[in-house]
């Protein structure tokens, strides 16, 4: 694991890369709206209206059909710093293979509502995801979750096992309980204050270190603009509060103690260069070097699941579906492939 001195050195280097005086000026970030009203998704966005704390909320989603359907469906669940649109390459590969693909933006994220009174929970998100599936006539699907979406996918599989064909976890959070590693609790107000400082530079610096192991490609900028654009306008505080509540949810609602309850056929797909360890950036320096990143936590977590395999993508980071779709997509297609039926 990267030592603390090396991690801090990388962080300083990243800040220098994105903020040095002799570097080109940062792009002007356009106000995209708190619900990404001015950011285009690759397919038509539809809305399911739900009640959250007695108020209507809009859950955005894409439902993409295959030209030659194979009769099976896949649900793609985004991470905390991601949106449904970031699955674009995977959706294209899946639909070419015959799968119908449902891609929700969870309540509190991206094009969906961010109700101020909501107390976010993985149970709420799993329940709304299943309700969305049912509203679209999908009773059973392969559930694929990335990062925070991996935590959500695990919770979904525990709550609704009959609705899961295959479970696919892509660099998922929730494999470790960060409180057991010594990370202390931070209340929503503290997290909210931190989230208000978010901008293009901080997003890019964090992703450069943790997601893309120090190597940046121009194609990644689109996703930084997308996130930064939500923080630009009058909805900045709303977005920051939703993100703070999501962080508190991740800390307090780990699935790490319930991995044995996951019975669905499960594939963990892990980029080996992922540096993500939830909460590390706010942990004391003396603790940071001991917090396990996802690749280190994955083998032990996989062994605790009843029917799981681990696939390592060497040389890739936290977001292999973005970093190298040409490598990731074939692995995903194999992971959602129907299992052969057992003969009696």
């Amino acid at each position: 694991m990267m030592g603390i001195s090396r991690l801090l050195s990388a962080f300083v280097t990243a800040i220098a890369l994105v903020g040095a005086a002799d570097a080109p000026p940062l792009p002007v970030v356009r106000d995209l709206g708190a619900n990404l009203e001015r950011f285009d998704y690759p397919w038509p966005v539809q809305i399911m209206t739900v009640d959250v704390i007695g108020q209507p909320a809009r859950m955005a989603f894409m439902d993409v059909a295959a030209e030659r359907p194979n009769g099976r469906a896949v649900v793609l669940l985004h991470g905390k710093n991601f949106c449904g649109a970031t699955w674009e390459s995977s959706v294209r590969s899946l639909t070419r293979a015959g799968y119908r693909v449902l891609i929700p933006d969870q309540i509190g994220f991206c094009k969906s509502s961010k109700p101020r009174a909501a107390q976010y929970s993985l149970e709420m998100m799993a329940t709304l995801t299943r309700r969305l599936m049912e509203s679209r006539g999908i009773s059973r699907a392969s559930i694929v979750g990335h990062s925070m979406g991996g935590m959500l996918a695990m919770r979904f599989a525990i709550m609704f096992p009959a609705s899961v064909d295959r479970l696919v976890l892509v660099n998922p959070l929730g494999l470790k309980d960060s409180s057991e590693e010594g990370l202390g609790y931070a209340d929503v107000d503290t997290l909210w204050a931190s989230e208000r400082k978010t901008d293009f530079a901080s997003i890019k610096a964090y992703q450069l270190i943790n997601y893309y192991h120090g190597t940046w490609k121009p194609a990644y900028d689109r996703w930084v603009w997308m996130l930064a654009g939500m923080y630009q306008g009058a909805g900045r505080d709303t977005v920051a509060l939703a993100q703070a509540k999501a962080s508190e949810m991740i800390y307090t609602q780990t699935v790490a103690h319930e991995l044995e309850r996951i019975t669905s056929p499960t594939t963990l797909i892990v980029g080996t260069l992922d540096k993500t360890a939830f909460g590390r950036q706010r942990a004391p320096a003396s603790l940071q070097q001991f917090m396990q990143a996802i690749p280190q936590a994955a083998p032990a977590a996989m062994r605790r699941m009843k029917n799981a395999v681990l696939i390592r993508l060497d040389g890739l980071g936290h977001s292999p579906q973005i970093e190298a779709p040409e490598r990731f997509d074939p692995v995903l297609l194999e992971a959602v492939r129907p299992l052969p039926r057992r003969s009696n």
Side-chain angles (χ1 to χ4, degrees):
M1 176 176 291
M2 179 182 287
I4 185 60
S5 60
R6 292 178 60 199
L7 183 65
L8 291 175
S9 175
F11 183 78
V12 171
T13 301
I15 293 296
L17 286 173
V18 299
D22 58 349
L26 292 174
V28 176
V29 179
R30 189 162 67 98
D31 176 5
L32 299 177
N35 296 333
L36 287 180
E37 294 90 341
R38 291 174 288 280
F39 183 87
D40 292 333
Y41 273 23
W43 294 277
V45 175
Q46 303 181 64
I47 298 295
M48 181 179 75
T49 301
V50 300
D51 285 333
V52 178
I53 316 295
Q55 297 294 322
R58 291 159 54 88
M59 184 173 181
F61 66 93
M62 294 177 286
D63 187 352
V64 187
E67 291 187 8
R68 298 180 179 178
N70 63 12
R72 296 182 175 273
V74 177
V75 178
L76 300 177
L77 304 177
H78 63 77
K80 178 179 180 291
N81 296 325
F82 301 83
C83 295
T86 53
W87 284 112
E88 181 174 357
S89 175
S90 299
V91 175
R92 296 190 187 283
S93 293
L94 288 164
T95 54
R96 280 196 297 268
Y99 294 93
R100 177 184 178 182
V101 187
L102 186 64
I103 317 105
D105 279 349
Q106 297 299 326
I107 293 293
F109 295 88
C110 308
K111 285 186 176 289
S112 291
S113 298
K114 298 162 182 68
R116 196 176 187 89
Q119 180 180 359
Y120 294 170
S121 72
L122 295 173
E123 285 83 356
M124 176 191 77
M125 293 179 183
T127 299
L128 293 180
T129 298
R130 185 167 181 258
R131 187 182 305 172
L132 175 62
M133 290 170 58
E134 292 174 341
S135 75
R136 307 302 294 176
I138 300 172
S139 60
R140 190 175 172 90
S142 289
I143 307 298
V144 180
H146 169 239
S147 193
M148 181 202 78
M151 282 187 78
L152 173 55
M154 288 187 276
R155 178 58 62 198
F156 185 101
I158 291 169
M159 294 175 66
F160 308 116
S163 297
V164 182
D165 273 332
R166 305 287 298 273
L167 180 65
V168 183
L169 308 173
V170 184
N171 289 74
L173 302 185
L175 300 179
K176 292 281 291 186
D177 183 343
S178 56
S179 70
E180 293 183 342
E181 295 185 297
L183 182 66
Y185 176 76
D187 61 38
V188 171
D189 283 317
T190 299
L191 295 168
W192 191 13
S194 177
E195 289 286 354
R196 286 194 190 102
K197 300 174 184 177
T198 299
D199 59 15
F200 185 97
S202 66
I203 294 169
K204 187 169 182 176
Y206 178 83
Q207 293 193 1
L208 174 64
I209 296 167
N210 292 284
Y211 295 178
Y212 302 116
H213 42 91
T215 302
W216 194 263
K217 298 177 184 177
Y220 305 157
D221 282 332
R222 168 175 169 79
W223 309 120
V224 180
W225 290 332
M226 176 188 71
L227 296 176
M230 286 191 287
Y231 286 88
Q232 289 301 112
R236 178 180 181 83
D237 264 11
T238 298
V239 174
L241 179 59
Q243 289 289 296
K245 288 186 175 184
S247 290
E248 200 259 0
M249 175 188 76
I250 292 168
Y251 179 84
T252 59
Q253 299 178 34
T254 180
V255 293
H257 303 293
E258 302 176 69
L259 298 179
E260 291 82 1
R261 298 180 64 193
I262 297 173
T263 58
S264 305
T266 301
T267 303
L268 276 78
I269 304 174
V270 174
T272 60
L273 297 184
D274 186 3
K275 300 298 187 294
T276 304
F278 175 74
R280 179 193 280 141
Q281 68 274 18
R282 64 178 181 82
S286 59
L287 172 64
Q288 290 183 7
Q289 62 182 314
F290 300 108
M291 295 182 68
Q292 282 194 332
I294 291 169
Q296 287 72 55
M302 179 269 297
R303 289 191 292 270
R304 291 175 54 204
M305 299 178 192
K306 289 183 169 60
N307 189 10
V309 296
L310 172 62
I311 297 177
R312 296 177 176 87
L313 296 180
D314 292 331
L316 299 182
H318 185 66
S319 308
Q321 74 277 28
I322 296 172
E323 184 179 359
E326 72 283 357
R327 288 182 60 190
F328 173 79
D329 290 349
V331 175
L332 175 62
L333 288 173
E334 183 62 30
V336 299
R337 188 185 304 277
L339 292 170
R341 291 185 177 182
R342 295 179 180 177
S343 56
N344 293 330

